[in-house]
Amino acid sequence: MKTTHVLFAESEKFYFLGQSGQQVSPDALLGKVICLLYGAAWSPPFLEFLSLFKRFYSELESDHAPLQVIYVSFDRTREEMRELASHFPTSWMSLPHSSSLINYLKLKHSVVVIPRLVVVKDNGELITDKGVRDVRKRVKRCFTSWYNAAKLIPVSQGTEINPVNQGAALNPNS
């Protein structure tokens, strides 16, 4: 059975892996700003950025920001990927190591250097392919511009998506 999702194009039915190895549907992306984090355990520049990005993510997560991180692996082996992913926040997802979507996304986003952070809307439209720069320079404020560019629509009736708790990060001067 074929499935189509604008972020991933037409492919065989696909899924993400949750932190404990469970399969997660692409529907989990609805109503969220999506960060495609390209990296590998063998890359010192990636590991350095990962430390900063995890702190960035932790702040946003505590504010209940609608952000989903998907790790897109350049790791040489499945075991290398699993070991690295075991240190990710529990809400992060990854594509299975053998997924053909990994190469598709690498080509689609012209990834030749890692780390690379590509930020997209829940419909797959590009927000920025300069996420690493944004996080390094603007830290928490960059999420506000990503969120505003995404123009997210609440996914359940009566639920308003708030980019951060009490809207504090909506002020670009914060």
Side-chain angles (χ1 to χ4, degrees), residues 8-168:
F8 300 104
E10 186 174 294
S11 66
E12 294 303 315
K13 187 165 176 67
F14 68 95
Y15 58 91
F16 302 104
L17 293 176
Q19 184 67 8
S20 61
Q22 78 279 16
Q23 292 185 8
V24 180
S25 165
D27 292 341
L29 304 177
L30 295 175
K32 296 181 180 177
V33 173
I34 302 160
C35 290
L36 299 170
L37 178 61
Y38 295 88
W42 51 261
S43 169
F46 172 73
L47 296 175
E48 180 183 328
F49 176 72
L50 180 62
S51 178
L52 172 67
F53 188 62
K54 284 167 57 175
R55 287 191 306 274
F56 165 84
Y57 180 82
S58 178
E59 288 182 36
L60 291 170
E61 185 178 44
S62 68
D63 288 337
H64 306 289
L67 178 67
Q68 182 61 61
V69 177
I70 300 171
Y71 177 60
V72 184
S73 173
F74 273 63
D75 294 300
R76 295 177 188 116
T77 66
R78 180 175 296 149
E79 291 71 30
E80 192 175 59
M81 178 185 155
R82 284 185 188 154
E83 170 58 27
L84 179 64
S86 71
H87 300 286
F88 293 164
T90 57
S91 58
W92 288 16
M93 298 186 293
S94 60
L95 285 167
H97 188 267
S98 60
S99 175
S100 62
L101 291 173
I102 291 174
N103 283 332
Y104 169 80
L105 290 171
K106 287 176 186 177
L107 291 172
K108 178 177 180 174
H109 298 123
S110 304
V111 179
V112 293
V113 174
I114 53 175
R116 182 92 186 254
L117 184 66
V118 175
V119 183
V120 297
K121 300 177 184 183
D122 65 353
N123 68 2
E125 279 184 59
L126 181 69
I127 294 173
T128 184
D129 61 359
K130 296 176 178 40
V132 170
R133 180 205 64 193
D134 288 354
V135 170
R136 284 183 173 147
K137 288 187 174 184
R138 300 175 62 209
V139 192
K140 193 173 177 180
R141 287 186 297 172
C142 65
F143 177 75
T144 302
S145 63
W146 298 346
Y147 179 84
N148 290 338
K151 299 177 183 166
L152 295 173
I153 299 171
V155 293
S156 62
Q157 285 186 334
T159 302
E160 183 146 342
I161 295 174
N162 203 355
V164 291
N165 193 24
Q166 309 300 319

